Amino acid sequence: MNRLLSVAFTTAFLSLLSACTKVDSGDLKDDVPYYQSYSVSYNKTDNATYASASFRVRESNGARVKLTNGATITANGKAGAATNPFDVSIYTWQFDDLKDVNFTLSKPSATLDNEVRRLEIGDISFAAPLPASISKATGYTLSWAGDERKTGEHIYVSVSGRNAVDTTGTATNDKEITGTNVRITASDLQDIAPGSITITLRRERSMVLDAPDGSSGGEKSVSISVSGDLLLTN
């Protein structure tokens, strides 16, 4: 099969599959519990807080729920925006500054509050200023600074830039940091074209819900990141 046709067919199939596994909350009985998923990302470079929420019927692999007929989700009192054209059951927010986020799910049978606080994730930054440029052939070693790593926290470094094969697209290499220093090798940079690149440090952890919906579970995740731009040379 032609590759472009194959990709188009796969995309159409996945879109159809997603549509078939999504339900309106108004079509469910009031006592049907929702599996709740909340995510908060603190971006120090943008000085912004990004949040999202989504729901499934009863369990983590249940049908996605689109909130209708009086069922709502807010974050810090603001209604969520469902702007993803491929999945209108994902609700998102953006706030200025790095702030706590309180999610409130309101449905006919219950009102549930779950909060993600800034202090629930340690701080992170570059231990030293990034250089103006690094070599693709030799790579670069960097260190992170911040609070001591807590149980359940993970720290990652990612490098992104133009794709070396298709320069109209992007390439990203993401790997976990197990110590204080991390080596970005020539191998890590092989798929990225020389030019402007972004290095990002990210710290994240998962937590249990404050208020599950009946017998259904759920998850909260929080992350914090900082980025820097520099030049990648040959």
Side-chain angles (χ1 to χ4, degrees):
M1 181 183 291
N2 179 280
R3 183 177 182 276
L4 292 178
L5 289 177
S6 177
V7 171
F9 174 81
T10 301
T11 302
F13 175 77
L14 290 176
S15 298
L16 178 61
L17 181 62
S18 175
C20 291
T21 57
K22 191 183 295 101
V23 297
D24 286 0
S25 61
D27 294 333
L28 299 171
K29 292 182 179 180
D30 290 347
D31 60 353
V32 171
Y34 298 169
Y35 182 95
Q36 305 169 79
S37 296
Y38 301 107
S39 175
V40 173
S41 299
Y42 297 110
N43 189 309
K44 294 178 63 177
T45 306
D46 296 344
N47 191 31
T49 299
Y50 301 93
S52 67
S54 62
F55 310 94
R56 291 181 179 268
V57 177
R58 294 190 177 88
E59 55 190 7
S60 60
N61 62 352
R64 289 189 175 275
V65 178
K66 178 184 176 183
L67 301 178
T68 60
N69 289 5
T72 61
I73 178 65
T74 62
N76 294 351
K78 180 181 177 181
T83 57
N84 187 325
F86 300 104
D87 193 343
V88 293
S89 69
I90 299 175
Y91 301 88
T92 61
W93 298 260
Q94 179 179 341
F95 302 103
D96 293 333
D97 303 321
L98 310 182
K99 59 184 59 177
D100 299 346
V101 179
N102 184 73
F103 297 96
T104 300
L105 170 64
S106 297
K107 47 188 294 198
S109 60
T111 297
L112 304 168
D113 290 305
N114 287 276
E115 185 177 27
V116 174
R117 296 179 294 124
R118 168 63 187 86
L119 292 178
E120 291 177 311
I121 189 72
D123 197 14
I124 195 166
S125 61
F126 293 100
L130 292 173
S133 64
I134 63 173
S135 166
K136 183 171 179 176
T138 59
Y140 178 66
T141 298
L142 62 82
S143 301
W144 65 272
D147 300 312
E148 184 177 345
R149 195 180 336 222
K150 301 175 183 177
T151 300
E153 283 190 342
H154 299 271
I155 297 177
Y156 301 87
V157 62
S158 68
V159 184
S160 61
R162 290 183 299 121
N163 190 297
V165 176
D166 178 6
T167 55
T168 63
T170 59
T172 299
N173 186 294
D174 189 270
K175 63 182 182 181
E176 186 167 3
I177 301 173
T178 56
T180 302
N181 301 324
V182 59
R183 177 71 182 164
I184 298 173
T185 67
S187 178
D188 295 330
L189 299 168
Q190 65 179 352
D191 295 329
I192 301 175
S196 178
I197 63 171
T198 300
I199 296 180
T200 300
L201 290 172
R202 185 179 78 258
R203 184 172 190 151
E204 62 183 41
R205 67 180 292 220
S206 297
M207 302 172 291
V208 298
L209 292 177
D210 305 309
D213 186 5
S215 59
S216 289
E219 59 186 351
K220 298 188 300 182
S221 66
V222 58
S223 67
I224 186 167
S225 66
V226 62
S227 301
D229 296 330
L230 61 156
L231 185 69
L232 179 66
T233 62
N234 283 314

